[in-house]
Amino acid sequence: MARITASVYTSHIPAIGAALDQGKTQEPYWQPVFQGYEFSKTWMQQNKPDVIFLVYNDHATAFDLDFIPTFAIGTAASYAPADEGWGPRPVPTVQGHPELAAHIAHSVIQQDFDLTIVNKMPVDHGLTVPLSLMCGQPPASDFHWPCPVIPLAVNVVQYPVPSGQRCFNLGQAIRRAVETYDDDLNVHIWGTGGMSHQLQGPRAGLINKAFDNAFLDQLIADPAAAARIPHIDYVREAGSEGIELVMWLIARGAMADVAGGKPPRVAHRFYHVPASNTAVGHLILENT
Ligand code: DHB
Ligand code: FE
């Protein structure tokens, strides 16, 4: 049977992708950000999954106001890096896992979650920047990501957005879906986006270190309580784009302790301000 062995949480700031692609990682501004992911890249090599279930949000790249799915699961064989205005990032095409994705879609929809099934979806910084941070830049001689990825795009851009509670419940349904897949696959689930940031209006540039760190503490120790945070609190405390944090609750809901198992081990925790307009937050939790 397939099993979720770990969850990863990370911000997905587009300027991080640009810094990587333009060789700026050692510049004084960026060095402390990338330093926080050195452990993670080694950890990824030592704990290589067979598949990553990657929760992210599309930023009006694959979807626009014509069509706004709340939860869209990718069941395609591959996903091209999107052109976000400066050309596609020079990173590998993302390979999918259509069989496991179709199984998860079937199981989760039967558990009463209305997923949208998507077979064509260019993927933006929300998905490619976390892959770059965790896996490094693949060399030209071996130009592929380490494993297939199943994208789950969550609408946190256009209101109404899903609640943290619904995201947490969806994570639990995803864990049950993975555990009813016959093949022995080691699956990671990643939640991306956050932490506090606001990109527009009079509060543009808002960062709330106290909220962010309290959220990290609660996500680790009492995720059911974190799931009860109403969306208005994210917006007030963490800024309009801080609502991206509800995606972290999908990954956290898929961990074993939520279904009565043992608490996860915190393999890594990192927080840094600033990077572009946001606070960078990052966690790795392992099922024990
Ligand atoms: C920034 C952060 C994001 O999460 C995003 O999607 C776009 C921009 C920023 O910090 O600039
Ligand atoms: Fe974002």
Side-chain angles (χ1 to χ4, degrees):
M1 119 191 163
R3 277 193 324 116
I4 292 175
T5 57
S7 51
V8 172
Y9 310 79
T10 179
S11 309
H12 63 210
I13 306 154
I16 287 182
L20 275 161
D21 300 341
Q22 294 165 16
K24 294 183 177 169
T25 56
Q26 293 312 311
E27 288 187 358
Y29 180 84
W30 288 112
Q31 201 276 339
V33 175
F34 291 104
Q35 182 64 36
Y37 290 83
E38 283 304 312
F39 172 91
S40 315
K41 287 190 284 181
T42 307
W43 179 88
M44 265 302 277
Q45 283 166 3
Q46 290 168 348
N47 297 273
K48 190 170 144 344
D50 297 311
V51 185
I52 298 166
F53 189 93
L54 205 159
V55 183
Y56 77 111
N57 67 294
D58 178 75
H59 303 76
T61 303
F63 310 119
D64 59 21
L65 293 183
D66 286 347
F67 181 58
I68 307 166
T70 302
F71 298 115
I73 187 168
T75 47
S78 65
Y79 307 90
D83 184 342
E84 300 179 60
W86 290 271
R89 289 192 60 217
V91 293
T93 296
V94 177
Q95 302 304 319
H97 196 303
E99 296 82 12
L100 179 59
H103 169 82
I104 293 174
H106 173 89
S107 170
V108 167
I109 290 170
Q110 288 300 316
Q111 293 177 68
D112 303 332
F113 288 88
D114 305 322
L115 302 186
T116 300
I117 295 165
V118 185
N119 285 309
K120 189 168 181 201
M121 185 160 68
V123 287
D124 68 14
H125 64 271
L127 186 134
T128 64
V129 166
L131 281 176
S132 295
L133 283 169
M134 295 299 294
C135 309
Q137 295 291 76
S141 57
D142 186 21
F143 199 59
H144 64 269
W145 297 114
C147 71
V149 173
I150 299 174
L152 180 80
V154 179
N155 169 40
V156 287
V157 169
Q158 175 61 43
Y159 278 76
V161 298
S163 67
Q165 185 65 58
R166 183 148 176 83
C167 289
F168 189 58
N169 296 351
L170 175 59
Q172 296 172 54
I174 291 166
R175 184 192 55 75
R176 288 190 286 266
V178 168
E179 291 185 354
T180 53
Y181 190 69
D182 283 342
D183 283 2
D184 283 334
L185 294 178
N186 173 0
V187 180
H188 287 180
I189 184 163
W190 294 11
T192 76
M195 297 204 82
S196 55
H197 63 305
Q198 171 139 351
L199 301 179
Q200 67 255 302
R203 297 203 311 164
L206 176 144
I207 291 196
N208 185 341
K209 289 186 194 176
F211 176 91
D212 288 339
N213 283 291
F215 183 84
L216 291 171
D217 290 343
Q218 198 172 45
L219 189 78
I220 294 167
D222 192 358
R228 290 192 290 271
I229 300 172
H231 83 272
I232 195 67
D233 285 13
Y234 289 100
V235 178
R236 284 195 183 118
E237 299 292 331
S240 51
E241 277 63 51
I243 191 68
E244 290 182 341
L245 282 169
V246 294
M247 296 185 290
W248 294 31
L249 286 160
I250 297 179
R252 188 65 182 89
M255 293 298 281
D257 62 327
V258 178
K262 282 191 270 173
R265 190 177 86 83
V266 182
H268 187 50
R269 176 172 174 161
F270 174 64
Y271 183 77
H272 175 79
V273 176
S276 189
N277 301 292
T278 100
V280 179
H282 175 38
L283 278 179
I284 299 176
L285 303 184
E286 294 172 352
N287 276 331
T288 52

